[in-house]
Amino acid sequence: MDPLILLALQEDITSEDITTNAVIKAGVRAQVDLIAKEAGIIAGLAVYQRVFELLDPAATIEKFVSDGDTVNPGDLLGVVEADTRTLLSGERTALNYLQRMSGIATHTRKLVGYLSGTNTRLLDTRKTTPNMRIFEKYAVTVGGGYNHRYNLSDGILIKDNHINAAGGVKEAIAATKKVAPFVRKIEVEVENLEMLRQALEAGADIIMLDNMDMETLKAAIKIVNGQAITECSGNVTEVRLKELSEIGVDFISCGALTHSSPILDLSMKNLRLL
């Protein structure tokens, strides 16, 4: 994660932190409190800490919570100690990571709750913020969700445009099987029951049922009948989650986990010189 964090720091400190360097001289150590301003699930403490360590190798943090813990407004989550300039210059970057990751974990935990008591698992997608994927997908797991493929090299997923380019579902699967390693599962996105039947006949391992209404989804699950792993995607709302799990789908993928989760409000307060 270091190269990504360094890019974020370079974005915020192109040459120097003019305000901080004017206010405080170098070499003066200080402590500051990390405080929760709203309730949620904390995620990303190691990333938060690493921001300060990259600016000051002697930086330390005393943590009172761990990733996955529930926090409430006013809770003291930790105390950071470092060069005062480091605390002031790194504050926004460190909080940006921690707030974003904690917001994703909080949203994920809420949605996973709708699947309680079922065998259906909630997945993220590749709809992540550029250069934030490693952090956002980790946050999903902290919230109780699961990761879909990490990137294009991590798994085979034949989507609508692949099918169009290949000339059909069966053609796309056949072309993939010629070059894909035998240890790789082949997932195919289908939009209707005819495409589903073609994917099953061609030997797809995983069927993504994309943007289907509930009646079509129920029919699709019956047709699959255990011949392949099933995944539902598209229009995954809180209201639909329970319904989707009750029809027996194996996985539900939800892009909103990473592209629409609000941040968890956190702050650094009470800076004191040592």
Side-chain angles (χ1 to χ4, degrees):
M1 63 185 174
D2 282 6
L4 299 172
I5 295 174
L6 287 169
L7 283 173
L9 285 168
Q10 290 164 9
E11 179 182 57
D12 210 32
I13 313 169
T14 52
S15 58
E16 67 168 327
D17 177 351
I18 299 173
T19 308
T20 293
N21 290 350
V23 169
I24 188 76
K25 64 182 180 180
V28 178
R29 295 191 71 76
Q31 291 181 339
V32 67
D33 297 334
L34 174 63
I35 299 171
K37 297 179 71 176
E38 63 178 317
I41 307 300
I42 203 73
L45 287 167
V47 184
Y48 172 84
Q49 178 175 349
R50 191 62 180 152
V51 171
F52 297 111
E53 290 175 344
L54 289 171
L55 293 170
D56 174 10
T60 61
I61 176 171
E62 182 180 7
K63 305 183 189 78
F64 304 126
V65 296
S66 300
D67 282 0
D69 287 350
T70 299
V71 300
N72 294 294
D75 283 356
L76 178 62
L77 311 183
V79 177
V80 188
E81 180 178 327
D83 184 283
T84 309
R85 285 185 171 183
T86 290
L87 295 177
L88 294 170
S89 298
E91 175 181 355
R92 177 43 50 203
T93 298
L95 284 175
N96 281 350
Y97 278 118
L98 191 60
Q99 291 183 138
R100 176 75 179 139
M101 294 174 71
S102 297
I104 289 171
T106 300
H107 188 201
T108 302
R109 181 73 60 85
K110 179 181 180 182
L111 297 190
V112 166
Y114 290 103
L115 303 178
S116 178
T118 76
N119 293 321
T120 303
R121 294 183 178 183
L122 186 65
L123 301 171
D124 58 20
T125 70
R126 286 170 43 246
K127 295 177 182 178
T128 54
T129 309
N131 293 325
M132 281 288 291
R133 183 170 296 172
I134 189 172
F135 307 110
E136 293 178 347
K137 280 184 168 283
Y138 167 74
V140 167
T141 67
V142 172
Y146 293 82
N147 296 148
H148 204 288
R149 58 179 179 163
Y150 181 74
N151 56 31
L152 292 173
S153 301
D154 194 39
I156 297 168
L157 174 50
I158 301 172
K159 297 176 69 68
D160 54 351
N161 285 330
H162 296 112
I163 292 169
N164 291 339
V169 173
K170 291 183 177 180
E171 290 82 358
I173 295 175
T176 302
K177 285 186 172 183
K178 288 181 180 178
V179 297
F182 76 94
V183 293
R184 292 282 192 184
K185 285 184 168 62
I186 297 176
E187 180 170 11
V188 182
E189 177 186 270
V190 301
E191 298 173 349
N192 54 57
L193 299 183
E194 178 54 33
M195 292 177 71
L196 168 61
R197 293 186 180 95
Q198 292 179 26
L200 289 173
E201 289 174 9
D205 301 295
I206 308 168
I207 305 292
M208 179 187 286
L209 307 167
D210 187 49
N211 280 302
M212 292 182 178
D213 60 51
M214 194 57 64
E215 291 307 311
T216 306
L217 281 170
K218 290 178 180 177
I221 296 298
K222 289 182 179 179
I223 292 171
V224 173
N225 192 31
Q227 298 177 73
I229 296 168
T230 55
E231 175 188 341
C232 175
S233 70
N235 192 28
V236 177
T237 63
E238 294 181 18
V239 174
R240 290 193 79 205
L241 272 174
K242 189 66 176 177
E243 290 181 303
L244 291 171
S245 68
E246 289 174 347
I247 67 173
V249 66
D250 296 310
F251 294 94
I252 299 172
S253 54
C254 180
L257 296 180
T258 51
H259 70 59
S260 295
S261 294
I263 67 163
L264 184 70
D265 198 5
L266 308 166
S267 68
M268 292 171 61
K269 293 290 185 183
N270 309 320
L271 186 143
R272 48 206 177 269
L273 302 180
L274 298 178

